[in-house]
Amino acid sequence: MLPPPLPAVVLTTAETRLAYVLRHFQQDYEAVPSVSIGYRSVQPQVEIAAVDHGFFTGIAPYPAAPTYREWQGQQLPFFFDDQPTRPLLELLPNSRARINADVISAAFYLLSGWQEFYSEERDQHGRFPYTASVQHRYGFVAVPVVNYYFDVLKTAVEHVTGQPLQPRRWADGATWATFITHDIDNLYSAWKEPTRAALSQGKALEFGRMLWRHFTKKDAWDNLELVQQTVAEYGAKSTFFFLPENRKAANGTPNADYNIRREWPKLAATIGNSEIGLHVSIGAPYHAHLKREEHRLQHLRNGVKAYGVRFHYLQWEPRITPVILGALLYKYDSTLGFAEHYGFRNSYCLPFYPYDFAQNKACYFLEIPLNVMDATLHHPRYLQLAPEEILPSLTPMFQEIERFGGVCTVLWHNDNFDPANIRNGPREFRAIMEYLRSRNPAFVNGQDICAQMSPPSS
């Protein structure tokens, strides 16, 4: 699938890139003292190496290959680094410091989503594919590289000011946070696959029993009360993203298997005061249906607008989606993760403001990055981890998020709370939750996160 044509854009300048990056650096800490940070021409207290690359005057999706440097025991990729033999950070006399790699350009490149905005690569669902990313090419998808860049900058600022920078704190003083979410795609389809299997294998008696159970028993995926109770056992909150469209996309991709208008009274009663988000359907080109679905859900909720959204199949078109979300005044989105691999799509483990290339400024809605989705862990087209491999595979990523005081966003669909799922099901979810709880994060929802994050100035 091809993306829409590139829109007219305003070329970024070094000043706008610096301002965008420093907004996010400053929001990572409780209070950043006044200090000048910039390139040599302005004689700042913290000098960033100016690399004459000309990259941002063009539309190439990928810069030159990064160099690798060690920082805090981690080998990290540094884009826009033309002095790899010089020390990464020089702490100088007279309250000055020099960073010998252009970490501002590198952070802007990754955080803004430049690669996917300018890339022509899309998969069958219109998504920028993981295999086309620099995270895949250079093997750092599970490392929040931008947070490490900020850690270099933090060390420089501490030297210049003589003051330690304290990472932001979450609810009740927690050093990091966890956001547990559920996309509600299916409520009534647990019976279909095993029934088809029984029929294809000629097991007539088993086929008949399954049909009988289907017509006389509650479907195993009609389970939102169980989902909410399971999450609450760990002191966490559930955020439910409901899908208002039950018609298939033009290419046959399914949306909801339920009619939200008919089911809403029961669903609303079941989840009580849990946070509700809009799960935007797949199918219409460039999200032309979003406003219709917004109105449908808002009407069912007596005029209450959903605070946040996530797109079905994680379908995000970087040339269109941010503009639409900004126009509709959503507070947050939580789509940006790779379906094919857990980790950090923008190489950052905190909520951030996506970049509007057309307006040459930060968007006004918050992006709460998606770090791990249940389907990613075991799926024919994604990873195929064995159950016992899941938590050990995810733990280093969780440790990175905790290290930088970030938000760990987990998506576990309600259908994967079905006990029949022994690959990426309730047992694996509980193992993840046991680990997360043992590390004492603040369990938050999207509204909590937005309340703690100040929007950038225009």
Side-chain angles (χ1 to χ4, degrees):
M1 180 181 291
L2 292 174
L6 271 174
V9 300
V10 178
L11 291 180
T12 68
T13 64
E15 290 75 19
T16 57
R17 295 193 295 274
L18 178 66
Y20 178 74
V21 170
L22 291 184
R23 284 173 182 164
H24 290 91
F25 171 70
Q26 289 162 357
Q27 79 177 16
D28 279 9
Y29 302 95
E30 293 292 348
V32 178
S34 178
V35 58
S36 58
I37 301 170
Y39 299 103
R40 179 181 297 177
S41 60
V42 297
Q43 298 184 320
Q45 293 167 279
V46 177
E47 178 186 326
I48 309 298
V51 179
D52 186 19
H53 46 71
F55 177 77
F56 296 108
T57 62
I59 60 171
Y62 307 111
T67 63
Y68 283 81
R69 293 176 179 264
E70 188 273 336
W71 181 259
Q72 301 291 356
Q74 179 83 269
Q75 285 291 318
L76 301 168
F78 282 82
F79 295 93
F80 310 108
D81 178 12
D82 64 353
Q83 305 177 81
T85 60
R86 298 191 64 177
L88 175 59
L89 175 62
E90 295 181 80
L91 302 178
L92 306 173
N94 303 316
S95 297
R96 306 187 82 81
R98 182 185 301 120
I99 299 173
N100 289 309
D102 191 351
V103 293
I104 297 299
S105 289
F108 177 84
Y109 172 75
L110 293 169
L111 195 57
S112 70
W114 178 285
Q115 63 174 343
E116 52 190 281
F117 184 84
Y118 285 106
S119 172
E120 296 296 313
E121 296 287 334
R122 300 291 186 270
D123 68 9
Q124 72 271 27
H125 298 303
R127 305 175 300 194
F128 175 69
Y130 167 60
T131 53
S133 71
V134 292
Q135 287 84 356
H136 175 263
R137 182 179 301 181
Y138 301 114
F140 62 90
V141 69
V143 180
V145 171
V146 173
N147 294 92
Y148 278 97
Y149 294 165
F150 285 179
D151 196 57
V152 178
L153 190 54
K154 164 183 172 288
T155 304
V157 170
E158 289 177 330
H159 168 74
V160 166
T161 63
Q163 301 177 41
L165 297 189
Q166 300 300 327
R168 72 162 46 251
R169 294 279 177 159
W170 296 91
D172 300 320
T175 58
W176 67 306
T178 296
F179 179 33
I180 304 298
T181 68
H182 318 286
D183 293 356
I184 310 305
D185 304 337
N186 298 292
L187 291 170
Y188 301 117
S189 299
W191 65 283
K192 291 181 179 178
E193 186 56 38
T195 302
R196 277 195 294 264
L199 181 62
S200 66
Q201 294 167 15
K203 298 178 180 179
L205 184 58
E206 184 65 17
F207 174 74
R209 286 174 178 165
M210 289 180 175
L211 277 182
W212 174 257
R213 282 200 296 270
H214 168 57
F215 287 112
T216 60
K217 304 289 185 182
K218 184 179 180 180
D219 195 280
W221 295 354
D222 184 10
N223 61 353
L224 301 194
E225 184 175 7
L226 170 66
V227 171
Q228 186 181 51
Q229 290 174 351
T230 302
V231 172
E233 286 178 25
Y234 298 93
K237 305 175 181 182
S238 287
T239 293
F240 294 92
F241 290 92
F242 286 101
L243 188 55
E245 180 58 76
N246 62 346
R247 293 172 297 181
K248 290 183 178 180
N251 65 1
T253 303
N255 284 303
D257 76 346
Y258 58 95
N259 184 310
I260 196 168
R261 290 176 178 170
R262 185 171 60 238
E263 301 292 335
W264 187 251
K266 183 185 77 170
L267 296 174
T270 299
I271 65 171
N273 61 357
S274 293
E275 183 183 29
I276 294 169
L278 173 63
H279 197 30
V280 184
S281 68
I282 194 169
Y286 316 138
H287 314 313
H289 48 350
L290 196 160
K291 194 166 185 63
R292 180 184 71 242
E293 294 178 12
E294 174 191 51
H295 286 161
R296 188 176 299 170
L297 182 59
Q298 191 168 332
H299 174 73
L300 292 169
R301 301 184 68 209
N302 297 317
V304 178
K305 182 183 176 75
Y307 224 71
V309 302
R310 177 180 289 142
F311 288 83
H312 194 32
Y313 278 75
L314 307 184
Q315 186 190 47
W316 174 278
E317 173 45 62
R319 300 176 184 180
I320 297 290
T321 308
V323 176
I324 295 175
L325 289 179
L328 293 178
L329 303 178
Y330 281 97
K331 299 296 185 183
Y332 76 87
D333 172 80
S334 189
T335 301
L336 286 180
F338 288 117
E340 306 96 314
H341 206 290
Y342 55 86
F344 309 100
R345 180 162 164 172
N346 294 76
S347 299
Y348 191 58
C349 69
L350 277 147
F352 67 98
Y353 295 90
Y355 199 75
D356 183 341
F357 288 94
Q359 299 296 320
N360 197 25
K361 64 179 183 179
C363 295
Y364 287 103
F365 67 89
L366 194 65
E367 180 62 36
I368 306 174
L370 175 60
N371 304 119
V372 58
M373 174 174 69
D374 47 9
T376 301
L377 304 173
H378 193 93
H379 189 279
R381 292 191 296 273
Y382 305 150
L383 301 177
Q384 298 184 39
L385 299 177
E388 65 274 12
E389 295 175 317
I390 289 176
L391 184 58
S393 297
L394 296 177
T395 298
M397 178 188 72
F398 293 153
Q399 291 171 338
E400 294 283 14
I401 299 171
E402 181 179 1
R403 175 178 190 167
F404 291 109
V407 176
C408 177
T409 303
V410 176
L411 163 55
W412 214 266
H413 292 78
N414 62 298
D415 48 302
N416 287 329
F417 284 79
D418 182 354
N421 183 343
I422 58 173
R423 292 174 174 170
N424 55 345
R427 183 179 60 184
E428 289 68 41
F429 177 76
R430 285 185 175 276
I432 290 170
M433 292 299 291
E434 289 284 356
Y435 172 84
L436 292 172
R437 182 173 63 177
S438 75
R439 303 304 304 169
N440 300 310
F443 285 108
V444 294
N445 61 25
Q447 293 186 51
D448 297 331
I449 293 168
C450 290
Q452 289 198 231
M453 309 289 287
S454 299
S457 58
S458 59

